[in-house]
Amino acid sequence: MKTKKRAVLYHSPAATLGSLECNKGIDKVLKHPEDFRRQGIDFQVVDTTTMPDHERQTEYMRAVLPSVLKKYRIRQVFGSRRNAGFMFGRGVPALVVYGPSSTVPEDVFPHEESGRIVTIKESLSRISAV
């Protein structure tokens, strides 16, 4: 059986800040999760509305790894210089992508790459099933 990638979207519907550039197109992603599934990606949505802050912070810390390895920025996408990750999954939905049979994230969206924001919606064109 072919192993597929897994994507977890951390999202709080009532708290999403729609005016932020990094959230552009998130409503379309949420309306059409089958777009991920069509590419062979196991797609899951985690509602962070009632998730304790320490759990969200733990997930944010996991998501930092691919940003370091791939040399893109997430700190100010999900927070600020002083308060890293405070909007992760609240305010700014976060898509964390895992490789086949892996518990270590290989990508996180949105992120800042070469001075521009790569949104969750754009991630569809970058993620491919294995």
Side-chain angles (χ1 to χ4, degrees):
M1 184 168 125
K2 196 174 192 179
T3 311
K4 50 184 165 176
K5 290 189 180 195
R6 181 171 59 96
V8 180
L9 178 69
Y10 295 93
H11 172 61
S12 178
T16 298
L17 302 171
S19 61
L20 296 177
E21 178 187 353
C22 59
N23 290 339
K24 187 177 179 182
I26 191 63
D27 53 334
K28 291 177 183 167
V29 170
L30 291 168
K31 286 180 184 174
H32 302 287
E34 67 275 3
D35 291 347
F36 287 94
R37 293 183 184 116
R38 235 183 262 124
Q39 289 190 36
I41 300 165
D42 181 16
F43 183 75
Q44 173 189 2
V45 177
V46 175
D47 187 341
T48 61
T49 303
T50 58
M51 181 183 274
D53 287 340
H54 72 275
E55 283 183 32
R56 277 188 321 107
Q57 195 64 25
T58 298
E59 295 306 320
Y60 169 74
M61 293 309 293
R62 279 191 197 145
V64 168
L65 180 63
S67 74
V68 172
L69 295 174
K70 295 185 176 189
K71 299 184 184 344
Y72 54 69
R73 298 174 186 227
I74 66 167
R75 184 182 187 104
Q76 289 179 299
V77 172
F78 294 113
S80 66
R81 287 182 185 182
R82 291 188 175 170
N83 197 359
F86 79 94
M87 290 193 298
F88 183 88
R90 282 197 200 134
V92 178
L95 182 71
V96 182
V97 180
Y98 297 86
S101 305
S102 180
T103 58
V104 178
E106 67 177 34
D107 240 330
V108 61
F109 296 92
H111 62 252
E112 182 186 327
E113 190 176 306
S114 301
R116 85 174 206 47
I117 300 293
V118 180
T119 65
I120 291 173
K121 186 172 186 290
E122 287 179 75
S123 73
L124 278 168
S125 64
R126 292 185 174 211
I127 303 170
S128 61
V130 173

